[in-house]
Amino acid sequence: MDFKLSIASEIAGAIQIAFGDESMSAEEIASYLSVPPDTALGDYAFPCFRLAKALKKAPPMIADTLRDALEAPYLAKVESVKGYLNFYIDRSTYAREVITSALDAGERYGASDIGQGKTILFDYSSINIAKRFHIGHLSTTMLGNALYKMYTFLGYDCVGINHLGDWGTQFGKMICAYKKWGDKDTVERGGVNEMIKLYVHFDKEAADDPALADEGRAWFKRIEDGDPEAMEIFNWFKQVTLKYAEGIYEMLGVTFDSYAGEAFYNDKMGRVLDELNEKHLLIESDGAQVVDLEAYSMPPCLIVKKDGATLYATRDLAAALYRKDTYDFHKCLYVVAYQQDLHFKQVFKVLDLMGYEWYKDMEHVSYGMVSFEGQALSTRKGHVVYLEDLLNTSIEKARAIIDEKSPNLENKDEIARQVGVGAVVFFDLFNNRIKDIDFWWDRALSFEGETGPYVQYSHARCCSVLRKAEGEHAEPNYAALSDPQAQDVVRMIEQFPDIILSAVERSEPSMVTRYSANLAQAYNRFYFENHILDNDLGVRAARLLLTEVTRNTLKTALGLIGIAAPERM
């Protein structure tokens, strides 16, 4: 039962009967219903100020009249307070309806088909070829992964794109270094680390021999021209990098549908340049080709450099056109750090000036920076935290905690992996994405408070309670769920579908992350205040059902943000 819509329908009917007005639909009224911050003020509240103009009456008078006209079997009472209508739902009815709805939906509770027939593209992670992951890659990867999962849960057709950083003169330098000092077996064994060594060696030698830089540029020109030898080595570098990346993505539970990166668009930029010229948008500026955006309070968007080379903007424009043609997307989300705000504003504005109305369907999902235990990350200063090291250390620390707290637990390695990785992901996705993150071990791995391990442990607690009562069947007495602690859990369960919708609308996975922590805390308060396995079978059955829907909802919430839900901890 949708209490919000049901109450809205009752209000709409009462307005019609009491005032003869049919101007507001139940759906419109529902949009104005809110959940008061304090349950003492009711389960839902409606501001009658919204009706004052249409009805030409004072809000308190409207509220008093409607209060007297409203009556429904699921309402315990309706109060009129200073122009507001406060609705109190019968506690046992509320618990029964919410729990039954959640149980009937099972794993699909909170899911919908609102996205049916609509394709959403996600550009995230976007790793660089021949470079290691560092902690700075965590946010783009996990934000994109969470949004992908949430949109899929709402019925959208989703396409995850890892827009590889696989273009530029550095790859010519790497091939040059490989030809001079490398060998295939060493690179195969050493992987990305060995490629980095070759690149560092090249830079060191080039400092003393400027001719090396020319050789590097020549090799990149051969890549641009599709030279067979250059392309074979170049593609092999990509394969080695992706093999390394797959190991990290597997730890994180992340997959992609496309790895089309910058190189993929090398032969597709001609269309961009042709269209910009045809539409008289390209102008020359100091030998470069730009789109003037001064009228929109932005610097010019650089399309072609003096030497004829294209840039990120050129390739992103080509990618946008290709993606629209290929996928006919409903929305295209770019999960990229906030430092690129101007870049995407420029790209979207250029698409607008080119006459593409669908530029409005493109969104830059920006996020803040990551530091580690109070220190900003800097490659140049040598303060880098590599992602695989972070994950492995977190798993080791989780294993040590599990050994101490649960020495007899089976499958310790698997659970340590789930807890260790989950702690990192939860910490990353807990705050609003635009906020900077300072990662601390003791906070992330705590089994208390708003952390991944705490939520996972709460899920495992629910599983433990249900195992003890496995096979039991009794008629639930929902009146046993009328206490404040039980009602807090019921209320949170009811809110879950709306939380997912809001998280998607705002591109804000932290809403689900925080919700999972709040639900875990609410359930634990209920757990400690009530004897769930009560001797009264009706009371016991009702409390077990609330435990079951809590377990299911915690598992779903954790899954949507890319975290496993262990059944034992």
Side-chain angles (χ1 to χ4, degrees):
M1 180 178 183
D2 188 332
F3 286 106
K4 192 174 187 179
L5 191 56
S6 295
I7 290 171
S9 297
E10 295 290 341
I11 295 172
I15 293 171
Q16 184 178 351
I17 293 169
F19 300 104
D21 187 281
E22 301 180 26
S23 61
M24 287 185 76
S25 67
E27 289 75 15
E28 185 180 359
I29 292 171
S31 70
Y32 298 131
L33 278 167
S34 61
V35 177
D38 184 349
T39 54
L41 300 175
D43 298 299
Y44 289 96
F46 177 73
C48 292
F49 308 94
R50 296 284 181 179
L51 303 172
K53 185 176 181 181
L55 302 181
K56 296 182 173 59
K57 297 185 185 300
M61 182 271 178
I62 297 171
D64 288 344
T65 303
L66 292 179
R67 175 200 58 201
D68 296 337
L70 285 163
E71 187 176 350
Y74 58 84
L75 289 174
K77 64 177 178 177
V78 181
E79 288 183 345
S80 169
V81 181
K82 297 180 180 179
Y84 281 86
L85 281 172
N86 295 335
F87 297 86
Y88 297 79
I89 300 170
D90 176 74
R91 295 296 178 236
S92 60
T93 302
Y94 184 46
R96 183 187 68 241
E97 292 294 332
V98 171
I99 290 173
T100 301
S101 175
L103 287 174
D104 287 346
E107 293 182 354
R108 295 290 295 163
Y109 181 61
S112 77
D113 59 0
I114 62 170
Q116 191 170 11
K118 298 174 182 175
T119 299
I120 310 292
L121 268 56
F122 303 87
D123 182 326
Y124 60 108
S125 200
S126 302
I127 59 169
N128 294 313
I129 296 303
K131 289 187 178 179
R132 292 179 68 184
F133 280 76
H134 57 71
I135 193 174
H137 290 108
L138 182 64
S139 291
T140 173
T141 303
M142 300 319 298
L143 278 168
N145 183 61
L147 289 170
Y148 184 106
K149 289 176 179 293
M150 289 178 196
Y151 270 94
T152 300
F153 199 59
L154 297 181
Y156 291 89
D157 295 321
C158 296
V159 180
I161 302 171
N162 196 327
H163 187 75
L164 300 176
D166 59 358
W167 199 249
T169 55
Q170 69 268 32
F171 296 108
K173 294 176 181 179
M174 284 194 58
I175 293 177
C176 181
Y178 171 71
K179 295 288 289 183
K180 288 181 177 295
W181 308 295
D183 70 84
K184 189 159 189 174
D185 289 342
T186 304
V187 173
E188 287 282 4
R189 287 194 304 272
V192 171
N193 286 335
E194 190 60 34
M195 287 191 281
I196 292 171
K197 288 179 185 177
L198 286 171
Y199 190 77
V200 170
H201 189 91
F202 179 92
D203 268 358
K204 185 178 179 181
E205 294 292 331
D208 298 323
D209 182 6
L212 270 178
D214 294 331
E215 287 188 52
R217 282 190 287 271
W219 272 107
F220 181 60
K221 182 67 168 61
R222 290 173 68 173
I223 295 174
E224 289 182 301
D225 295 340
D227 173 78
E229 183 185 10
M231 291 305 297
E232 181 181 358
I233 300 171
F234 177 50
N235 288 326
W236 172 56
F237 283 165
K238 285 203 274 190
Q239 290 169 8
V240 171
T241 304
L242 290 177
K243 183 179 178 181
Y244 151 78
E246 282 168 7
I248 297 172
Y249 287 138
E250 186 178 353
M251 291 176 75
L252 293 169
V254 175
T255 58
F256 297 91
D257 303 296
S258 168
Y259 284 90
E262 293 182 67
F264 180 78
Y265 299 101
N266 187 42
D267 62 352
K268 298 172 179 61
M269 289 182 286
R271 174 185 171 185
V272 174
L273 300 177
D274 289 344
E275 285 196 32
L276 289 173
N277 275 312
E278 288 169 11
K279 293 168 182 176
H280 308 292
L281 293 170
L282 269 188
I283 62 172
E284 186 174 322
S285 175
D286 295 328
Q289 297 289 309
V290 305
V291 176
D292 183 12
L293 299 177
E294 185 178 0
Y296 309 98
S297 302
M298 285 185 273
C301 183
L302 188 55
I303 302 296
V304 182
K305 293 197 293 187
K306 289 180 184 179
D307 60 5
T310 52
L311 295 102
Y312 288 123
T314 328
R315 289 187 281 280
D316 276 340
L317 289 167
L321 295 173
Y322 173 84
R323 290 170 181 177
K324 186 62 179 178
D325 290 345
T326 304
Y327 301 104
D328 191 24
F329 56 77
H330 176 70
K331 287 175 72 176
C332 181
L333 308 184
Y334 295 82
V335 187
V336 184
Y338 68 73
Q339 291 95 329
Q340 298 300 318
D341 280 354
L342 175 60
H343 167 78
F344 285 108
K345 285 178 182 176
Q346 289 178 312
V347 169
F348 299 163
K349 176 51 66 177
V350 172
L351 287 168
D352 177 20
L353 295 174
M354 292 172 76
Y356 292 111
E357 283 290 319
W358 46 264
Y359 84 92
K360 298 174 184 176
D361 304 324
M362 306 177 81
E363 178 186 342
H364 175 207
V365 181
S366 57
Y367 57 86
M369 299 303 293
V370 180
S371 56
F372 184 79
E373 301 203 337
Q375 287 188 283
L377 304 178
S378 172
T379 305
R380 271 181 280 184
K381 294 181 180 178
H383 187 61
V384 181
V385 178
Y386 292 111
L387 188 50
E388 65 266 37
D389 296 340
L390 179 77
L391 294 172
N392 286 327
T393 301
S394 188
I395 292 169
E396 290 169 9
K397 288 179 178 289
R399 176 59 193 261
I401 294 170
I402 290 169
D403 283 339
E404 179 185 346
K405 290 179 175 288
S406 306
N408 299 319
L409 187 67
E410 296 180 1
N411 303 319
K412 287 184 183 179
D413 288 341
E414 175 62 15
I415 293 169
R417 184 190 65 80
Q418 293 176 340
V419 173
V421 173
V424 172
V425 173
F426 195 94
F427 196 93
D428 184 72
L429 295 181
F430 186 74
N431 290 312
N432 291 352
R433 56 181 165 80
I434 202 61
K435 290 187 177 180
D436 293 340
I437 299 168
D438 189 9
F439 189 93
W440 290 80
W441 286 120
D442 57 341
R443 298 174 195 168
L445 283 163
S446 173
F447 276 64
E448 300 294 332
E450 299 167 319
T451 68
Y454 174 77
V455 178
Q456 289 174 315
Y457 184 76
S458 301
H459 173 268
R461 168 172 280 164
C462 291
C463 293
S464 175
V465 170
L466 294 169
R467 279 195 299 272
K468 291 174 184 176
E470 197 168 3
E472 293 183 3
H473 298 285
E475 189 66 27
N477 176 10
Y478 288 103
L481 302 179
S482 297
D483 62 278
Q485 293 78 24
Q487 285 291 304
D488 283 347
V489 180
V490 172
R491 189 172 295 104
M492 290 209 66
I493 297 295
E494 187 200 13
Q495 292 170 2
F496 185 52
D498 287 338
I499 292 290
I500 298 172
L501 284 171
S502 296
V504 164
E505 288 168 1
R506 302 179 191 181
S507 296
E508 191 58 84
S510 68
M511 296 183 71
V512 174
T513 312
R514 285 181 175 272
Y515 169 87
S516 71
N518 292 337
L519 176 57
Q521 289 173 337
Y523 177 78
N524 285 320
R525 287 192 293 270
F526 163 72
Y527 175 87
F528 287 114
E529 290 293 330
N530 294 277
H531 180 47
I532 295 177
L533 300 179
D534 194 271
N535 291 331
D536 184 313
L537 295 183
V539 171
R540 181 184 181 111
R543 289 173 178 169
L544 284 169
L545 287 178
L546 184 55
T547 298
E548 184 177 352
V549 296
T550 301
R551 176 199 64 184
N552 296 348
T553 307
L554 284 175
K555 182 178 181 180
T556 300
L558 286 171
L560 288 174
I561 55 176
I563 296 176
E567 294 187 3
R568 288 178 168 85
M569 280 179 68

